[in-house]
Amino acid sequence: METINYVRETSNVPLGPRPLKRAAIPYFLRDRYRFLEDELLTRRSLFVAPTNSELDTPAQMAKHLVQLKKVTDAVDILLLPTIWA
């Protein structure tokens, strides 16, 4: 939610993300990530946030985003608590 608040404050974009209700996402991804959906700049957007502090590798996350793209028509936005150096 910190990222959502940051986008609201810095860009004046009204965001009100809600939990994703589509069942097409594979269960193993639903266990690893929390999904929120909203419209951002006229595009359906899917905010994807890891559910635990142990992050997958960037390559694994990239594969997960490819799998999400196959089952959603949204722009996937990955929210990470940290980034790699």
Side-chain angles (χ1 to χ4, degrees):
M1 288 310 290
E2 290 176 31
T3 303
I4 303 297
N5 290 333
Y6 177 79
V7 170
R8 284 182 189 142
E9 292 170 9
T10 59
S11 64
N12 292 323
V13 173
L15 287 177
R18 58 208 170 277
L20 180 68
K21 295 185 180 178
R22 294 182 184 245
I25 294 177
Y27 288 112
F28 82 95
L29 291 178
R30 287 185 176 266
D31 289 340
R32 289 180 117 68
Y33 301 98
R34 180 174 175 221
F35 300 96
L36 299 170
E37 64 180 336
D38 200 351
E39 188 171 292
L40 180 62
L41 303 175
T42 70
R43 293 286 315 265
R44 181 169 170 259
S45 301
L46 183 62
F47 297 92
V48 182
T51 56
N52 62 40
S53 59
E54 292 182 26
L55 298 176
D56 290 322
T57 66
Q60 289 170 316
M61 286 187 202
K63 287 180 185 178
H64 296 165
L65 291 176
V66 168
Q67 291 173 323
L68 284 173
K69 186 53 85 184
K70 291 179 183 178
V71 296
T72 68
D73 60 345
V75 174
D76 299 327
I77 301 169
L78 184 61
L79 306 175
L80 298 174
T82 58
I83 57 172
W84 295 268

